[in-house]
């Protein structure tokens, strides 16, 4: 019998696919590797709240990763399109989801090195949440790294990197 009195914390995850890949065009073969890599690094589960975003030209890669992570795929055109749609998703997460009595958000993950996510990271830290950034060393903005509780450099793990992307494209 399952104990329903103990809350089961979830992750709130925002994946900026192009930034994580280190390229404006993301190969679907590369995308097939990043979902399992993030799942392994972060201990992700189907109950987590996940958003994966990218430019419309990377729609297949975005959908591939979103499917692997049981998340929502979002695309948006224009400068910082993926960043803006992810920030909107993070900021519109209701308080009831963050502090649910049965499945609260225990950790926020920003899978991007873009400094545009700094204010969102600070907001979640002020709410008492652990905020983790997953990024390639070369693309991690210093302010974002400082705003987070923990930094995971994708380059230090055996996952797909921008170099792997170039070989797969």
């Amino acid at each position: 019998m399952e104990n329903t009195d103990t809350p089961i914390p979830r992750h709130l995850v925002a994946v900026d696919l192009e930034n994580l890949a280190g390229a404006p065009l993301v190969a679907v073969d590369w995308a097939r590797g990043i979902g399992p890599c993030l799942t392994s690094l972060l201990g992700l589960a189907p109950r987590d709240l996940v958003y994966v975003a990218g430019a419309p030209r990377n729609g297949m890669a975005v959908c591939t990763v979103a499917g692997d992570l049981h998340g929502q795929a979002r695309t948006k055109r224009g400068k910082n399109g993926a960043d803006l749609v992810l920030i909107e998703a993070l900021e519109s997460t209701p308080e009831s989801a963050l502090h649910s009595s049965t499945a609260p958000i225990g950790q926020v993950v920003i899978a991007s090195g873009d400094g545009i996510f700094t204010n969102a990271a600070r907001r979640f830290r002020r709410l008492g949440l652990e905020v983790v950034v997953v990024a390639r060393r070369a693309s991690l903005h210093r302010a974002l790294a400082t705003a987070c509780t923990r930094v995971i450099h994708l380059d230090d793990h055996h996952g797909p990197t921008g170099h792997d992307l170039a070989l797969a494209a």
Side-chain angles (χ1 to χ4, degrees):
M1 181 174 209
E2 191 175 315
N3 180 0
T4 57
D5 294 339
T6 305
I8 301 170
R10 298 183 297 158
H11 295 87
L12 171 58
V13 183
V15 180
D16 176 359
L17 202 58
E18 287 99 355
N19 184 273
L20 213 54
L25 186 59
V26 181
V28 174
D29 286 343
W30 181 88
R32 286 188 189 107
I34 197 64
C37 178
L38 291 174
T39 297
S40 174
L41 281 174
L42 302 163
L44 299 180
R47 70 180 176 274
D48 295 324
L49 184 54
V50 178
Y51 301 99
V52 181
R57 69 177 169 262
N58 291 315
M60 287 298 294
V62 169
C63 288
T64 297
V65 176
D68 286 345
L69 300 179
H70 306 278
Q72 296 180 25
R74 299 192 173 189
T75 61
K76 186 170 183 178
R77 294 187 194 285
K79 182 172 173 52
N80 295 325
D83 299 341
L84 296 174
V85 78
L86 287 172
I87 288 170
E88 179 183 328
L90 291 171
E91 290 178 351
S92 66
T93 303
E95 289 287 323
S96 60
L98 294 175
H99 304 296
S100 165
S101 61
T102 57
I105 300 297
Q107 184 179 81
V108 176
V109 177
I110 299 170
S112 174
D114 284 344
I116 196 169
F117 293 102
T118 303
N119 287 337
R122 288 180 181 143
R123 174 181 164 254
F124 287 116
R125 289 275 310 267
R126 280 193 304 273
L127 292 171
L129 296 170
E130 179 181 13
V131 181
V132 177
V133 64
V134 178
R136 291 174 307 101
R137 230 175 254 285
S139 70
L140 181 56
H141 193 280
R142 183 175 302 202
L144 177 60
T146 303
C148 293
T149 312
R150 191 172 79 173
V151 174
I152 298 174
H153 292 108
L154 192 57
D155 328 59
D156 295 345
H157 299 277
H158 298 291
T161 63
H163 180 68
D164 296 325
L165 172 68
L167 296 176

